[in-house]
Amino acid sequence: MPSSTGENTLLDGFRLVPGRLDREAQEALRDAIRAVAVEAPLYRPSMPRTGKPFSVRMTNCGPLGWVSDQSGYRYQPTHPGTGRPWPAIPEVLLSLWKELADYPHPPEACLVNFYEAEARMGLHQDSDEAEFAAPVLSVSLGDSCLFRIGGLDRRDPTRSLRLASGDVLLLGGASRLAFHGVDRIYPGTSTLLAQGGRINLTLRRVTKPDESPEW
Ligand code: MD3
Ligand code: FE
């Protein structure tokens, strides 16, 4: 049965785990992501067609990374600026996936989104992957945000939720293809990042697994 947490109904497969990471775990993950961003610097993607810059800066870790530029959205094995392979996904994220994803293969991409105070992410669907049987697992770090999630049609009603540092969100089942976005950042709501801002990490399976071993 779909869960109902307010005025509207959330799609089946949506699960919020508030405060899953304590402060110490958040600090360790922050430091691991800082190391990722040294090897694979944050860059500002642009919109397909228009070339309009995103307000969010991004990087990736894992065998594949999600990129967007004037020619379109895609997954690729290398950083668009350096041409080098993306760094490995930190172990702590792989263990969260094993614990929570209920999916027998590892994630292939971890998109790192960095939001400054004014950054936003418009309502969209995540549909550039070939495998939708796996959930998306998201971890929030730093300042809180106002997250919005709707249904499978852009015009469906939406619900707004505040996501805080250490929260983990799972989008499986029907919710995997729900429209969602980030309406605003609440500056000064966390001390995790000395300069402020919000980091969101999303783990994804991109390709359909073949007959090879499960891990
Ligand atoms: C619901 N990121 O990277 S995380 C994205 O906070 C993205 O940076 C937002 O949307 C962020 O694509 C939201 C939560 C999230 C991630 C993936 C989803 C929610 C989702 C996929 C399907 C439905
Ligand atoms: Fe998304």
Side-chain angles (χ1 to χ4, degrees), residues 137-158:
L137 187 159
S138 138
V139 182
S140 293
L141 294 175
D143 287 334
S144 297
C145 78
L146 187 63
F147 169 74
R148 192 148 59 96
I149 183 161
L152 303 180
D153 188 297
R154 181 179 287 282
R155 297 157 298 184
D156 289 343
T158 61

Side-chain angles (χ1 to χ4, degrees), residues 30-123:
R30 170 200 67 195
D31 294 346
I33 296 306
R34 194 170 279 156
V36 164
V38 169
E39 176 62 23
L42 287 168
Y43 62 95
R44 195 177 297 283
S46 48
M47 291 294 289
R49 256 184 25 259
T50 64
K52 183 178 187 281
F54 282 45
S55 61
V56 178
R57 286 186 295 155
M58 298 180 174
T59 188
N60 290 271
C61 47
L64 292 172
W66 186 87
V67 300
S68 175
D69 60 22
Q70 202 139 5
S71 48
Y73 306 130
R74 65 193 172 277
Y75 282 93
Q76 63 178 47
T78 55
H79 187 288
T82 69
R84 291 194 298 266
W86 305 105
I89 299 176
E91 277 301 327
V92 45
L93 292 174
L94 296 176
S95 13
L96 269 183
W97 177 271
K98 284 185 193 175
E99 175 194 330
L100 297 169
D102 191 25
Y103 182 78
H105 304 276
E108 295 172 299
C110 174
L111 175 61
V112 179
N113 292 326
F114 179 70
Y115 295 78
E116 292 179 275
E118 301 301 318
R120 308 274 179 270
M121 189 175 288
L123 212 62

